Amino acid sequence: MIYKFGERLTEISQEEWEKEKCPAVFLTDSNHAEETLATAGIIYESEIQIAKIGFCKIENQQECMVGTFCIPKLLDVLGSRYRMYMFVNENNVVIVDDETFSERLISRIKRKRMHQGETKERFLYNYIAEFMSRDLEILVAYERRLLRMEEDVSQDHTDTIQNRLMPIRRELLNLRSYYDEMMDLTKELEENENGLFLNDQLKYFGTLTDRADRLMSRTSHLLEYARQVKEAYQSQIDNRQNNNMQFLTVISTIFFPLTLITGWFGMNFKDMPGLENGYPAVMALSIVIIVICILIFKKKKII
């Protein structure tokens, strides 16, 4: 697909583009990438391997700029990602995408935005902004989940907290790394090392950098919040274990003197006092010891 730059992006055929030779966006897949790059006047000597893209980054070459995108799917952050190449020269933009993700983004740009692509800078702003258009909403959803978990911890409903919390922390860590990469990428665009962009249009990339920075800060805040929820959960577990240990300590303290008494009178020496009729006295002594232990524990506020 070829879209001619303008206030509104207009799809044109290759024959129409070859007649006009107007600045345009080329959307293709990896099987037709070399042919499309040649048509757009972009020389790229490395091999195009979309499956091996692992980061969002920008690489400046002599006559063009090469970008790779590795975008997490917001409904499955830990799963597969959207991967694309982006090539930019003085006139044209080429996007290589083996899925329909970029096509859907451009459709949303055409449907939602009045100024869709008067220049390649404006188009790139719209295109990259669509990556992050729903991210704040997703982060708010994470915050609500953490709030619910915090309430469960405060009410001592901790049975499933660990299983619910661990995936959230892993997803937030992935998102934070992604936003960090996007910040670096948009800063590279803003620096305009190759001079491919108009200076008065660089403000768009600065806006993208600020947005990625805010999202990363929000994600870092949520990670800190998740850590606090984990600490509160661990505190509840520790308190529960302490209560159990305290109960066992009380039981052990009560039964230790009783064990000593039964052990002493269980020896059955011939001349032991009370050997013949000492059972009631031993029972009374045991009861007295138990009462004394309980009174001491209550005074110490252990029970």
Side-chain angles (χ1 to χ4, degrees):
M1 296 181 181
I2 303 175
Y3 296 91
K4 182 171 65 173
F5 286 129
E7 184 173 345
R8 304 190 69 80
L9 292 171
T10 306
E11 185 175 352
I12 60 175
S13 66
Q14 186 167 343
E15 291 77 13
E16 291 174 317
W17 181 83
E18 288 177 351
K19 288 180 181 178
E20 297 185 28
K21 293 292 182 181
C22 56
V25 179
F26 295 78
L27 181 58
T28 186
D29 57 27
S30 55
N31 293 327
H32 303 89
E34 291 186 8
E35 176 185 346
T36 304
L37 288 173
T39 301
I42 297 175
I43 299 174
Y44 183 64
E45 297 180 354
S46 300
E47 187 177 0
I48 294 176
Q49 295 179 309
I50 288 183
K52 291 188 176 181
I53 295 176
F55 302 96
C56 300
K57 63 179 183 180
I58 287 290
E59 176 187 346
N60 288 297
Q61 299 191 352
Q62 288 186 352
E63 297 182 358
C64 71
M65 176 182 289
V66 182
T68 57
F69 294 103
C70 189
I71 313 297
K73 298 177 180 179
L74 295 180
L75 298 180
D76 186 17
V77 174
L78 300 177
S80 60
R81 295 190 171 201
Y82 298 114
R83 293 176 167 85
M84 301 91 69
Y85 278 95
M86 178 185 72
F87 301 87
V88 182
N89 67 0
E90 191 173 351
N91 295 314
N92 302 311
V93 176
V94 176
I95 298 171
V96 182
D97 186 356
D98 284 343
E99 300 184 52
T100 60
F101 181 62
S102 294
E103 185 178 347
R104 296 200 306 271
L105 289 183
I106 293 176
S107 296
R108 277 165 28 196
I109 291 170
K110 294 180 68 176
R111 185 176 65 252
K112 291 164 51 179
R113 298 182 181 269
M114 291 296 296
H115 301 282
Q116 300 170 3
E118 298 95 328
T119 62
K120 63 177 181 293
E121 294 86 358
R122 180 74 189 202
F123 168 77
L124 290 174
Y125 165 78
N126 290 334
Y127 180 72
I128 296 174
E130 283 298 322
F131 294 171
M132 300 179 281
S133 60
R134 293 182 54 221
D135 291 50
L136 185 58
E137 176 185 345
I138 295 298
L139 293 179
V140 169
Y142 278 114
E143 187 172 17
R144 289 172 180 164
R145 290 166 64 185
L146 289 170
L147 278 168
R148 286 196 294 269
M149 279 189 277
E150 186 179 35
E151 291 175 0
D152 289 342
V153 169
S154 66
Q155 297 171 7
D156 204 19
H157 301 156
T158 58
D159 294 341
T160 62
I161 292 295
Q162 188 74 0
N163 293 333
R164 291 158 59 193
L165 186 60
M166 289 303 294
I168 290 179
R169 294 182 71 246
R170 291 173 58 197
E171 290 171 12
L172 290 173
L173 283 169
N174 272 270
L175 287 174
R176 186 175 66 177
S177 297
Y178 160 61
Y179 296 135
D180 190 25
E181 294 168 14
M182 289 301 296
M183 277 183 60
D184 291 340
L185 183 146
T186 52
K187 283 180 181 176
E188 285 285 340
L189 292 173
E190 191 176 4
E191 287 175 3
N192 194 23
E193 184 177 329
N194 285 4
L196 297 175
F197 305 122
L198 299 173
N199 289 331
D200 62 347
Q201 301 282 306
L202 296 178
K203 59 186 178 182
Y204 294 126
F205 304 135
T207 302
L208 292 174
T209 302
D210 292 341
R211 182 176 301 181
D213 185 26
R214 288 194 300 271
L215 290 171
M216 191 176 74
S217 297
R218 187 70 176 267
T219 307
S220 298
H221 167 74
L222 290 175
L223 277 168
E224 177 63 22
Y225 189 16
R227 186 183 66 81
Q228 293 174 3
V229 172
K230 184 180 180 182
E231 289 177 352
Y233 162 75
Q234 190 62 47
S235 178
Q236 287 280 20
I237 297 299
D238 292 342
N239 287 337
R240 190 179 301 171
Q241 290 177 345
N242 288 338
N243 291 334
N244 292 337
M245 291 299 297
Q246 191 176 58
F247 174 76
L248 293 174
T249 300
V250 169
I251 297 298
S252 300
T253 304
I254 291 174
F255 278 93
F256 178 76
L258 301 182
T259 303
L260 179 63
I261 293 170
T262 56
W264 178 266
F265 283 94
M267 292 186 290
N268 296 326
F269 292 146
K270 181 179 179 181
D271 298 325
M272 178 179 289
L275 182 63
E276 295 180 359
N277 54 4
Y279 186 75
V282 171
M283 287 288 294
L285 178 60
S286 299
I287 293 172
V288 168
I289 289 174
I290 292 174
V291 170
I292 291 173
C293 288
I294 292 174
L295 291 174
I296 292 173
F297 289 139
K298 282 187 174 294
K299 185 177 181 180
K300 299 289 186 179
K301 297 182 179 180
I302 295 177
I303 59 174

